Short mmCIF file of all heavy atoms in Angstrom, two decimals:
data_model
loop_
_atom_site.label_atom_id
_atom_site.label_comp_id
_atom_site.label_asym_id
_atom_site.label_seq_id
_atom_site.Cartn_x
_atom_site.Cartn_y
_atom_site.Cartn_z
N MET A 277 1.52 10.50 -28.82
CA MET A 277 1.97 10.65 -27.50
C MET A 277 1.29 9.86 -26.49
O MET A 277 1.90 9.17 -25.64
CB MET A 277 1.89 12.16 -27.21
CG MET A 277 2.36 12.59 -25.92
SD MET A 277 4.21 12.60 -25.80
CE MET A 277 4.51 13.20 -24.21
N ILE A 278 -0.08 9.84 -26.47
CA ILE A 278 -0.85 9.05 -25.53
C ILE A 278 -0.62 7.60 -25.74
O ILE A 278 -0.44 6.76 -24.85
CB ILE A 278 -2.24 9.40 -25.66
CG1 ILE A 278 -2.55 10.91 -25.18
CG2 ILE A 278 -3.18 8.45 -24.84
CD1 ILE A 278 -4.00 11.37 -25.41
N ASP A 279 -0.53 7.09 -27.03
CA ASP A 279 -0.18 5.72 -27.39
C ASP A 279 1.11 5.37 -26.71
O ASP A 279 1.28 4.15 -26.26
CB ASP A 279 -0.19 5.46 -28.83
CG ASP A 279 -1.60 5.47 -29.45
OD1 ASP A 279 -2.54 5.39 -28.67
OD2 ASP A 279 -1.61 5.81 -30.67
N ARG A 280 2.03 6.15 -26.78
CA ARG A 280 3.53 5.84 -26.29
C ARG A 280 3.39 5.63 -24.63
O ARG A 280 3.93 4.79 -24.20
CB ARG A 280 4.39 6.95 -26.69
CG ARG A 280 5.74 6.66 -26.10
CD ARG A 280 6.78 7.69 -26.68
NE ARG A 280 8.09 7.46 -26.18
CZ ARG A 280 8.76 8.46 -25.57
NH1 ARG A 280 8.35 9.66 -25.40
NH2 ARG A 280 9.96 8.10 -25.10
N ILE A 281 2.67 6.65 -24.09
CA ILE A 281 2.50 6.53 -22.66
C ILE A 281 1.74 5.23 -22.25
O ILE A 281 2.20 4.62 -21.33
CB ILE A 281 1.75 7.71 -22.06
CG1 ILE A 281 2.66 9.04 -22.24
CG2 ILE A 281 1.43 7.74 -20.60
CD1 ILE A 281 1.97 10.37 -22.00
N GLU A 282 0.67 4.85 -22.97
CA GLU A 282 -0.02 3.65 -22.65
C GLU A 282 0.78 2.38 -22.88
O GLU A 282 0.71 1.46 -22.11
CB GLU A 282 -1.34 3.67 -23.58
CG GLU A 282 -2.37 4.57 -23.16
CD GLU A 282 -3.52 4.52 -24.13
OE1 GLU A 282 -3.57 3.75 -25.19
OE2 GLU A 282 -4.47 5.40 -23.84
N LYS A 283 1.66 2.50 -23.80
CA LYS A 283 2.59 1.33 -24.07
C LYS A 283 3.59 1.21 -22.97
O LYS A 283 3.91 -0.01 -22.47
CB LYS A 283 3.28 1.39 -25.37
CG LYS A 283 2.39 1.07 -26.60
CD LYS A 283 3.25 1.38 -27.94
CE LYS A 283 2.29 1.23 -29.13
NZ LYS A 283 2.94 1.33 -30.36
N ILE A 284 4.07 2.17 -22.44
CA ILE A 284 4.91 2.21 -21.32
C ILE A 284 4.37 1.69 -20.10
O ILE A 284 4.90 0.92 -19.41
CB ILE A 284 5.64 3.64 -21.13
CG1 ILE A 284 6.61 4.07 -22.30
CG2 ILE A 284 6.43 3.73 -19.84
CD1 ILE A 284 7.04 5.50 -22.24
N GLU A 285 3.10 2.19 -19.91
CA GLU A 285 2.33 1.74 -18.62
C GLU A 285 2.12 0.33 -18.74
O GLU A 285 2.31 -0.45 -17.73
CB GLU A 285 1.08 2.48 -18.44
CG GLU A 285 1.31 3.92 -18.15
CD GLU A 285 0.02 4.72 -18.15
OE1 GLU A 285 -1.05 4.23 -18.47
OE2 GLU A 285 0.10 5.97 -17.81
N VAL A 286 1.66 -0.28 -19.93
CA VAL A 286 1.42 -1.62 -20.06
C VAL A 286 2.64 -2.46 -19.81
O VAL A 286 2.59 -3.40 -19.17
CB VAL A 286 0.65 -1.90 -21.39
CG1 VAL A 286 0.58 -3.39 -21.77
CG2 VAL A 286 -0.64 -1.20 -21.42
N SER A 287 3.86 -1.93 -20.38
CA SER A 287 5.05 -2.67 -20.26
C SER A 287 5.51 -2.77 -18.81
O SER A 287 6.09 -3.74 -18.39
CB SER A 287 6.05 -2.20 -21.18
OG SER A 287 6.49 -0.89 -20.78
N LEU A 288 5.24 -1.68 -18.08
CA LEU A 288 5.65 -1.66 -16.68
C LEU A 288 4.82 -2.59 -15.87
O LEU A 288 5.28 -3.31 -14.90
CB LEU A 288 5.65 -0.18 -16.13
CG LEU A 288 6.65 0.76 -16.58
CD1 LEU A 288 6.40 2.15 -16.11
CD2 LEU A 288 8.02 0.21 -16.10
N VAL A 289 3.46 -2.76 -16.12
CA VAL A 289 2.63 -3.49 -15.49
C VAL A 289 3.06 -5.09 -15.75
O VAL A 289 3.05 -5.92 -14.86
CB VAL A 289 1.15 -3.29 -15.88
CG1 VAL A 289 0.27 -4.41 -15.37
CG2 VAL A 289 0.75 -1.97 -15.31
N LYS A 290 3.27 -5.44 -17.04
CA LYS A 290 3.79 -6.66 -17.25
C LYS A 290 5.12 -7.00 -16.61
O LYS A 290 5.29 -8.13 -16.11
CB LYS A 290 3.99 -6.82 -18.81
CG LYS A 290 2.73 -6.87 -19.53
CD LYS A 290 2.84 -7.03 -21.03
CE LYS A 290 1.61 -7.15 -21.87
NZ LYS A 290 1.78 -7.19 -23.24
N LYS A 291 6.07 -5.99 -16.49
CA LYS A 291 7.26 -6.28 -15.98
C LYS A 291 7.28 -6.46 -14.41
O LYS A 291 7.89 -7.34 -13.89
CB LYS A 291 8.25 -5.13 -16.30
CG LYS A 291 9.63 -5.25 -15.81
CD LYS A 291 10.38 -4.06 -16.28
CE LYS A 291 11.91 -4.18 -15.92
NZ LYS A 291 12.78 -3.14 -16.23
N TYR A 292 6.36 -5.90 -13.78
CA TYR A 292 6.39 -5.76 -12.25
C TYR A 292 4.99 -6.33 -11.79
O TYR A 292 4.45 -5.99 -10.68
CB TYR A 292 6.53 -4.33 -11.76
CG TYR A 292 7.83 -3.82 -12.11
CD1 TYR A 292 8.00 -2.73 -13.09
CD2 TYR A 292 9.01 -4.26 -11.45
CE1 TYR A 292 9.21 -2.20 -13.30
CE2 TYR A 292 10.27 -3.77 -11.82
CZ TYR A 292 10.35 -2.73 -12.69
OH TYR A 292 11.61 -2.18 -13.03
N LEU A 293 4.40 -7.18 -12.49
CA LEU A 293 3.00 -7.76 -12.14
C LEU A 293 3.05 -8.36 -10.76
O LEU A 293 2.23 -8.09 -9.91
CB LEU A 293 2.60 -8.74 -13.27
CG LEU A 293 1.16 -9.22 -12.99
CD1 LEU A 293 0.19 -8.07 -13.07
CD2 LEU A 293 0.80 -10.29 -14.05
N LEU A 294 4.03 -9.19 -10.49
CA LEU A 294 4.06 -9.92 -9.20
C LEU A 294 4.24 -8.91 -8.11
O LEU A 294 3.56 -9.06 -7.00
CB LEU A 294 5.21 -10.93 -9.15
CG LEU A 294 5.37 -11.75 -7.83
CD1 LEU A 294 4.07 -12.54 -7.67
CD2 LEU A 294 6.57 -12.68 -8.01
N LYS A 295 5.12 -7.96 -8.25
CA LYS A 295 5.42 -6.96 -7.21
C LYS A 295 4.12 -6.11 -6.98
O LYS A 295 3.87 -5.69 -5.92
CB LYS A 295 6.61 -6.09 -7.64
CG LYS A 295 7.94 -6.81 -7.44
CD LYS A 295 9.08 -5.88 -7.79
CE LYS A 295 10.42 -6.74 -7.66
NZ LYS A 295 11.54 -5.85 -7.98
N LEU A 296 3.44 -5.77 -8.11
CA LEU A 296 2.26 -5.01 -7.94
C LEU A 296 1.18 -5.77 -7.23
O LEU A 296 0.46 -5.29 -6.37
CB LEU A 296 1.66 -4.58 -9.25
CG LEU A 296 2.35 -3.53 -10.06
CD1 LEU A 296 1.91 -3.41 -11.58
CD2 LEU A 296 2.25 -2.15 -9.42
N PHE A 297 1.09 -7.10 -7.43
CA PHE A 297 0.14 -7.84 -6.84
C PHE A 297 0.48 -7.99 -5.31
O PHE A 297 -0.43 -7.91 -4.40
CB PHE A 297 0.03 -9.18 -7.42
CG PHE A 297 -0.83 -10.30 -6.74
CD1 PHE A 297 -2.28 -10.10 -6.86
CD2 PHE A 297 -0.45 -11.27 -5.86
CE1 PHE A 297 -3.21 -10.96 -6.25
CE2 PHE A 297 -1.23 -12.11 -5.27
CZ PHE A 297 -2.65 -11.85 -5.37
N ILE A 298 1.64 -8.23 -5.04
CA ILE A 298 2.07 -8.49 -3.62
C ILE A 298 1.90 -7.03 -2.84
O ILE A 298 1.30 -7.06 -1.74
CB ILE A 298 3.48 -8.81 -3.48
CG1 ILE A 298 3.67 -10.34 -3.98
CG2 ILE A 298 4.06 -8.82 -2.03
CD1 ILE A 298 5.08 -10.72 -4.06
N GLY A 299 2.30 -6.05 -3.41
CA GLY A 299 2.01 -4.67 -2.81
C GLY A 299 0.53 -4.35 -2.64
O GLY A 299 0.13 -3.96 -1.60
N GLY A 300 -0.30 -4.75 -3.46
CA GLY A 300 -1.72 -4.60 -3.41
C GLY A 300 -2.32 -5.44 -2.39
O GLY A 300 -3.15 -4.98 -1.63
N LEU A 301 -1.76 -6.67 -2.27
CA LEU A 301 -2.22 -7.54 -1.21
C LEU A 301 -1.89 -6.99 0.20
O LEU A 301 -2.72 -7.03 1.12
CB LEU A 301 -1.59 -8.84 -1.46
CG LEU A 301 -2.14 -9.96 -0.58
CD1 LEU A 301 -3.55 -10.29 -0.81
CD2 LEU A 301 -1.20 -11.22 -0.75
N PHE A 302 -0.70 -6.41 0.36
CA PHE A 302 -0.39 -5.87 1.54
C PHE A 302 -1.08 -4.69 2.01
O PHE A 302 -1.44 -4.50 3.19
CB PHE A 302 1.22 -5.50 1.61
CG PHE A 302 2.17 -6.65 1.85
CD1 PHE A 302 3.24 -6.62 1.01
CD2 PHE A 302 1.82 -7.72 2.56
CE1 PHE A 302 4.20 -7.75 1.14
CE2 PHE A 302 2.72 -8.74 2.81
CZ PHE A 302 3.91 -8.77 2.03
N VAL A 303 -1.52 -3.81 0.99
CA VAL A 303 -2.27 -2.65 1.25
C VAL A 303 -3.73 -3.20 1.70
O VAL A 303 -4.25 -2.62 2.73
CB VAL A 303 -2.39 -1.78 0.04
CG1 VAL A 303 -3.51 -0.79 0.26
CG2 VAL A 303 -1.09 -1.14 -0.13
N PHE A 304 -4.31 -4.04 1.03
CA PHE A 304 -5.57 -4.65 1.24
C PHE A 304 -5.64 -5.33 2.81
O PHE A 304 -6.45 -4.94 3.57
CB PHE A 304 -6.01 -5.73 0.40
CG PHE A 304 -7.26 -6.42 0.82
CD1 PHE A 304 -8.53 -5.69 0.53
CD2 PHE A 304 -7.28 -7.65 1.40
CE1 PHE A 304 -9.66 -6.44 0.92
CE2 PHE A 304 -8.47 -8.31 1.66
CZ PHE A 304 -9.69 -7.70 1.50
N ILE A 305 -4.60 -6.03 3.08
CA ILE A 305 -4.58 -6.68 4.50
C ILE A 305 -4.47 -5.64 5.57
O ILE A 305 -5.01 -5.72 6.51
CB ILE A 305 -3.28 -7.67 4.42
CG1 ILE A 305 -3.70 -8.88 3.58
CG2 ILE A 305 -3.10 -8.17 5.91
CD1 ILE A 305 -2.59 -9.81 3.34
N SER A 306 -3.50 -4.55 5.35
CA SER A 306 -3.32 -3.53 6.36
C SER A 306 -4.62 -2.83 6.53
O SER A 306 -4.96 -2.49 7.74
CB SER A 306 -2.17 -2.79 6.01
OG SER A 306 -2.45 -1.86 4.87
N ASN A 307 -5.33 -2.50 5.50
CA ASN A 307 -6.54 -1.71 5.63
C ASN A 307 -7.65 -2.64 6.30
O ASN A 307 -8.45 -2.16 7.11
CB ASN A 307 -7.05 -1.19 4.41
CG ASN A 307 -6.30 0.06 3.92
OD1 ASN A 307 -5.77 0.85 4.74
ND2 ASN A 307 -6.08 0.16 2.62
N ALA A 308 -7.65 -3.92 5.94
CA ALA A 308 -8.68 -4.81 6.64
C ALA A 308 -8.34 -4.91 8.13
O ALA A 308 -9.37 -4.91 8.96
CB ALA A 308 -8.60 -6.22 5.85
N LEU A 309 -7.10 -5.06 8.58
CA LEU A 309 -6.75 -5.12 9.85
C LEU A 309 -7.09 -3.76 10.63
O LEU A 309 -7.50 -3.97 11.71
CB LEU A 309 -5.21 -5.57 10.09
CG LEU A 309 -4.86 -6.84 9.73
CD1 LEU A 309 -3.38 -6.99 9.67
CD2 LEU A 309 -5.52 -7.83 10.59
N ALA A 310 -6.87 -2.72 9.95
CA ALA A 310 -7.24 -1.36 10.74
C ALA A 310 -8.73 -1.23 10.86
O ALA A 310 -9.12 -0.93 11.93
CB ALA A 310 -6.72 -0.20 9.79
N VAL A 311 -9.53 -1.73 9.90
CA VAL A 311 -11.00 -1.68 10.04
C VAL A 311 -11.41 -2.69 11.12
O VAL A 311 -12.22 -2.25 12.06
CB VAL A 311 -11.78 -2.12 8.77
CG1 VAL A 311 -13.21 -2.30 8.91
CG2 VAL A 311 -11.49 -0.94 7.65
N TYR A 312 -10.86 -3.86 11.19
CA TYR A 312 -11.17 -4.78 12.20
C TYR A 312 -10.75 -4.33 13.61
O TYR A 312 -11.55 -4.43 14.48
CB TYR A 312 -10.43 -6.05 12.01
CG TYR A 312 -10.67 -7.18 13.12
CD1 TYR A 312 -11.89 -7.71 13.30
CD2 TYR A 312 -9.63 -7.42 13.93
CE1 TYR A 312 -12.02 -8.64 14.29
CE2 TYR A 312 -9.79 -8.26 15.07
CZ TYR A 312 -11.04 -8.89 15.14
OH TYR A 312 -11.16 -9.75 16.26
N ALA A 313 -9.69 -3.58 13.70
CA ALA A 313 -9.15 -3.04 14.98
C ALA A 313 -10.12 -1.90 15.36
O ALA A 313 -10.47 -1.84 16.62
CB ALA A 313 -7.79 -2.47 14.83
N MET A 314 -10.56 -1.08 14.41
CA MET A 314 -11.61 -0.06 14.74
C MET A 314 -12.85 -0.59 15.27
O MET A 314 -13.51 0.15 16.10
CB MET A 314 -11.64 0.86 13.60
CG MET A 314 -10.52 1.75 13.36
SD MET A 314 -10.88 2.97 12.05
CE MET A 314 -9.28 3.64 11.78
N GLU A 315 -13.22 -1.83 14.80
CA GLU A 315 -14.42 -2.34 15.31
C GLU A 315 -14.29 -3.01 16.72
O GLU A 315 -15.27 -3.14 17.39
CB GLU A 315 -14.97 -3.36 14.31
CG GLU A 315 -15.31 -2.83 12.96
CD GLU A 315 -15.86 -3.94 12.13
OE1 GLU A 315 -15.53 -5.17 12.36
OE2 GLU A 315 -16.27 -3.62 11.00
N THR A 316 -13.12 -3.36 17.17
CA THR A 316 -12.94 -4.08 18.36
C THR A 316 -12.46 -3.33 19.52
O THR A 316 -12.76 -3.53 20.65
CB THR A 316 -11.99 -5.26 18.14
OG1 THR A 316 -10.75 -4.84 17.63
CG2 THR A 316 -12.60 -6.35 17.13
N ILE A 317 -11.61 -2.13 19.15
CA ILE A 317 -11.08 -1.39 20.22
C ILE A 317 -11.44 0.05 20.00
O ILE A 317 -12.00 0.42 18.84
CB ILE A 317 -9.52 -1.48 20.45
CG1 ILE A 317 -8.79 -1.21 19.18
CG2 ILE A 317 -9.34 -2.96 20.92
CD1 ILE A 317 -7.31 -1.23 19.39
N LEU A 318 -11.01 1.03 20.82
CA LEU A 318 -11.33 2.38 20.68
C LEU A 318 -10.66 2.96 19.34
O LEU A 318 -9.51 2.69 19.11
CB LEU A 318 -10.81 3.22 21.86
CG LEU A 318 -11.55 2.99 23.11
CD1 LEU A 318 -10.81 3.82 24.26
CD2 LEU A 318 -13.01 3.54 22.99
N VAL A 319 -11.41 3.77 18.72
CA VAL A 319 -10.89 4.22 17.30
C VAL A 319 -9.60 5.19 17.60
O VAL A 319 -8.81 5.21 16.68
CB VAL A 319 -12.04 5.06 16.71
CG1 VAL A 319 -11.53 5.76 15.40
CG2 VAL A 319 -13.16 4.10 16.32
N THR A 320 -9.64 5.92 18.71
CA THR A 320 -8.60 6.81 18.87
C THR A 320 -7.20 6.17 18.98
O THR A 320 -6.18 6.60 18.55
CB THR A 320 -8.70 7.62 20.13
OG1 THR A 320 -8.93 6.78 21.34
CG2 THR A 320 -9.87 8.52 20.01
N TYR A 321 -7.16 4.91 19.60
CA TYR A 321 -6.02 4.11 19.73
C TYR A 321 -5.45 3.75 18.28
O TYR A 321 -4.36 3.84 17.87
CB TYR A 321 -6.08 2.87 20.49
CG TYR A 321 -6.39 3.21 22.01
CD1 TYR A 321 -7.16 2.37 22.75
CD2 TYR A 321 -5.78 4.31 22.59
CE1 TYR A 321 -7.42 2.59 24.16
CE2 TYR A 321 -5.96 4.54 24.00
CZ TYR A 321 -6.74 3.76 24.61
OH TYR A 321 -7.10 3.96 25.98
N VAL A 322 -6.39 3.18 17.44
CA VAL A 322 -6.11 2.75 16.08
C VAL A 322 -5.59 3.91 15.19
O VAL A 322 -4.61 3.87 14.44
CB VAL A 322 -7.31 2.09 15.48
CG1 VAL A 322 -7.02 1.69 14.06
CG2 VAL A 322 -7.78 0.89 16.34
N ALA A 323 -6.21 5.04 15.36
CA ALA A 323 -5.91 6.18 14.45
C ALA A 323 -4.52 6.57 14.92
O ALA A 323 -3.74 6.98 13.90
CB ALA A 323 -6.88 7.35 14.73
N ALA A 324 -4.19 6.70 16.16
CA ALA A 324 -2.86 7.08 16.55
C ALA A 324 -1.76 6.11 16.12
O ALA A 324 -0.79 6.67 15.60
CB ALA A 324 -2.74 7.22 18.15
N ILE A 325 -2.00 4.84 16.10
CA ILE A 325 -1.01 3.91 15.59
C ILE A 325 -0.91 3.95 14.09
O ILE A 325 0.29 3.90 13.67
CB ILE A 325 -1.49 2.55 16.04
CG1 ILE A 325 -1.26 2.40 17.59
CG2 ILE A 325 -0.68 1.34 15.37
CD1 ILE A 325 -1.91 1.06 18.15
N ARG A 326 -2.08 4.12 13.40
CA ARG A 326 -1.92 4.31 11.98
C ARG A 326 -1.03 5.54 11.52
O ARG A 326 -0.34 5.41 10.63
CB ARG A 326 -3.35 4.32 11.27
CG ARG A 326 -3.90 2.97 11.22
CD ARG A 326 -5.28 3.11 10.49
NE ARG A 326 -4.88 3.12 8.98
CZ ARG A 326 -5.79 3.16 8.06
NH1 ARG A 326 -7.02 3.30 8.28
NH2 ARG A 326 -5.34 3.25 6.80
N GLU A 327 -1.26 6.53 12.27
CA GLU A 327 -0.63 7.81 11.95
C GLU A 327 0.88 7.62 12.20
O GLU A 327 1.88 8.16 11.46
CB GLU A 327 -1.19 9.10 12.58
CG GLU A 327 -2.62 9.33 12.21
CD GLU A 327 -2.67 9.67 10.75
OE1 GLU A 327 -1.76 10.25 10.13
OE2 GLU A 327 -3.67 9.30 10.16
N ILE A 328 1.25 7.18 13.35
CA ILE A 328 2.65 7.03 13.78
C ILE A 328 3.41 5.98 12.93
O ILE A 328 4.66 5.98 12.66
CB ILE A 328 2.90 6.75 15.22
CG1 ILE A 328 4.34 7.13 15.72
CG2 ILE A 328 2.54 5.28 15.48
CD1 ILE A 328 4.59 8.40 15.73
N SER A 329 2.65 5.12 12.29
CA SER A 329 3.18 4.04 11.41
C SER A 329 3.90 4.64 10.16
O SER A 329 4.80 4.16 9.57
CB SER A 329 2.13 2.93 11.06
OG SER A 329 1.28 3.49 10.09
N ILE A 330 3.43 5.91 9.75
CA ILE A 330 4.01 6.42 8.64
C ILE A 330 5.34 6.97 8.95
O ILE A 330 6.38 6.76 8.12
CB ILE A 330 3.09 7.68 8.26
CG1 ILE A 330 1.77 7.17 7.74
CG2 ILE A 330 3.84 8.56 7.11
CD1 ILE A 330 0.66 8.32 7.55
N VAL A 331 5.56 7.44 10.18
CA VAL A 331 6.98 7.79 10.72
C VAL A 331 7.81 6.59 10.55
O VAL A 331 8.97 6.72 10.20
CB VAL A 331 6.82 8.56 11.94
CG1 VAL A 331 8.21 8.95 12.46
CG2 VAL A 331 5.99 9.76 11.96
N PHE A 332 7.32 5.53 11.35
CA PHE A 332 8.20 4.30 11.33
C PHE A 332 8.59 3.80 9.86
O PHE A 332 9.63 3.41 9.71
CB PHE A 332 7.38 3.18 12.15
CG PHE A 332 7.32 3.52 13.60
CD1 PHE A 332 6.15 3.21 14.16
CD2 PHE A 332 8.36 4.21 14.22
CE1 PHE A 332 6.11 3.42 15.58
CE2 PHE A 332 8.30 4.39 15.67
CZ PHE A 332 7.05 3.96 16.29
N ALA A 333 7.71 3.83 8.93
CA ALA A 333 7.90 3.41 7.50
C ALA A 333 8.93 4.27 6.94
O ALA A 333 9.85 3.87 6.18
CB ALA A 333 6.65 3.44 6.78
N ALA A 334 8.94 5.57 7.26
CA ALA A 334 9.90 6.53 6.67
C ALA A 334 11.27 6.20 7.30
O ALA A 334 12.37 6.24 6.51
CB ALA A 334 9.53 7.96 7.00
N ILE A 335 11.37 5.98 8.59
CA ILE A 335 12.60 5.63 9.21
C ILE A 335 13.18 4.31 8.66
O ILE A 335 14.39 4.27 8.25
CB ILE A 335 12.44 5.61 10.74
CG1 ILE A 335 12.22 6.93 11.28
CG2 ILE A 335 13.67 5.11 11.43
CD1 ILE A 335 11.73 7.02 12.77
N ILE A 336 12.39 3.33 8.47
CA ILE A 336 12.82 2.02 7.98
C ILE A 336 13.30 2.24 6.57
O ILE A 336 14.30 1.60 6.12
CB ILE A 336 11.68 0.98 8.14
CG1 ILE A 336 11.47 0.62 9.59
CG2 ILE A 336 12.03 -0.27 7.32
CD1 ILE A 336 10.22 -0.27 9.78
N GLY A 337 12.56 3.09 5.77
CA GLY A 337 12.97 3.36 4.41
C GLY A 337 14.32 3.96 4.23
O GLY A 337 15.09 3.74 3.35
N ILE A 338 14.58 4.88 5.22
CA ILE A 338 15.86 5.54 5.19
C ILE A 338 17.07 4.61 5.58
O ILE A 338 18.04 4.63 4.97
CB ILE A 338 15.89 6.78 6.23
CG1 ILE A 338 14.85 7.88 5.68
CG2 ILE A 338 17.31 7.20 6.50
CD1 ILE A 338 14.72 9.00 6.74
N ILE A 339 16.60 3.71 6.55
CA ILE A 339 17.68 2.69 7.02
C ILE A 339 18.04 1.77 5.87
O ILE A 339 19.00 1.32 5.58
CB ILE A 339 17.18 2.10 8.29
CG1 ILE A 339 17.25 3.03 9.49
CG2 ILE A 339 18.20 1.03 8.71
CD1 ILE A 339 16.64 2.52 10.69
#
């Protein structure tokens, strides 16, 4: 059973390797920008924008 799950996971990684890489790159860039923003402006502004971005992403996903 575990071997079967591992084979499925490996095949999915091989199948979607480029999409996984691009998604991981976007996550890295967004977090790096958030850290940079927290170092340069008030943390409360950055935290508010990061939290509301979840709502915007959900709306864009629905559309």
Side-chain angles (χ1 to χ4, degrees):
M277 177 78 173
I278 294 175
D279 290 337
R280 181 173 178 233
I281 293 172
E282 288 176 359
K283 287 179 183 178
I284 292 171
E285 290 173 356
V286 170
S287 67
L288 287 175
V289 169
K290 287 180 181 179
K291 185 175 181 181
Y292 298 108
L293 185 62
L294 182 61
K295 290 182 182 182
L296 287 171
F297 178 75
I298 292 171
L301 186 64
F302 282 142
V303 169
F304 174 77
I305 291 171
S306 68
N307 285 326
L309 287 173
V311 169
Y312 174 73
M314 287 184 185
E315 291 176 352
T316 58
I317 63 174
L318 292 174
V319 174
T320 54
Y321 294 147
V322 178
I325 291 172
R326 283 190 77 181
E327 295 301 321
I328 198 69
S329 70
I330 298 168
V331 175
F332 289 142
I335 292 171
I336 291 169
I338 291 172
I339 293 173

